[in-house]
Amino acid sequence: MTSLLLASVLLLQQGPVSPPQADSSEVEASRQTITSVGLAVAEVRNGSDVLRRAVFNDQDAVVLERARVLQTRCAELNTEARAAASRICRTCFRRAQPAIERYRVNLASAAQTGARCASTLRAQLGQGRSSVAAVKRGLRPLGQLVPAGL
């Protein structure tokens, strides 16, 4: 997902191909989309770290709360990344075009990671009284899934 960061930096510094007044709405929409996906990725990474700390340091109720928050964040990432591909202008940024194309390819991976994370947590949280134990057991695989996919 280094290309996500690279594309974000390049786009925020890159000017539009045509004069700013001509396509400024498309450029602004593309920048906003890239920013919102970046924020969703950051929220999932942060949520994963917070859950990991809660598993080792907090009571069971806090662990369940953190797992539910992460589940929500993962679902939001899935939704945001899937919608982003169609909202990013393909021709608005001339020098950053290769980075934009790599970014668009990586959106599918980010969406898949969000979906897998959300479904894993949904299954763990749906185990009734043993939900905390399931979240604790699944912490390592989930901790490997999130950084690898983002």
Side-chain angles (χ1 to χ4, degrees), residues 43-55:
E43 290 287 337
V44 169
R45 286 183 179 215
N46 182 51
S48 177
D49 290 340
V50 169
L51 176 61
R52 184 178 40 81
R53 283 192 306 267
V55 164

Side-chain angles (χ1 to χ4, degrees), residues 49-123:
D49 290 340
V50 169
L51 176 61
R52 184 178 40 81
R53 283 192 306 267
V55 164
F56 293 110
N57 298 324
D58 293 327
Q59 297 175 354
D60 292 349
V62 175
V63 172
L64 290 176
E65 176 192 345
R66 301 294 188 245
R68 285 186 193 100
V69 168
L70 180 57
Q71 178 188 4
T72 302
R73 299 292 184 242
C74 289
E76 290 170 355
L77 171 62
N78 179 27
T79 303
E80 193 65 42
R82 287 189 193 285
S86 63
R87 293 187 305 204
I88 296 174
C89 176
R90 289 179 172 233
T91 59
C92 292
F93 305 97
R94 62 178 173 255
R95 288 182 292 180
Q97 201 57 43
I100 294 296
E101 292 306 318
R102 286 191 304 273
Y103 181 82
R104 290 173 62 86
V105 168
N106 287 332
L107 284 173
S109 173
Q112 183 180 24
T113 299
R116 288 179 61 196
C117 170
S119 66
T120 299
L121 286 166
R122 184 173 32 260

Side-chain angles (χ1 to χ4, degrees), residues 5 24 32 35 39 46 51 60 62 66-67 93 97 117-118 120 131 137 139 142-145 148:
L5 180 61
S24 63
Q32 180 60 38
T35 300
L39 289 173
N46 182 51
L51 176 61
D60 292 349
V62 175
R66 301 294 188 245
F93 305 97
Q97 201 57 43
C117 170
T120 299
S131 293
R137 278 193 312 272
L139 184 63
L142 188 65
Q144 293 169 345
L145 169 70

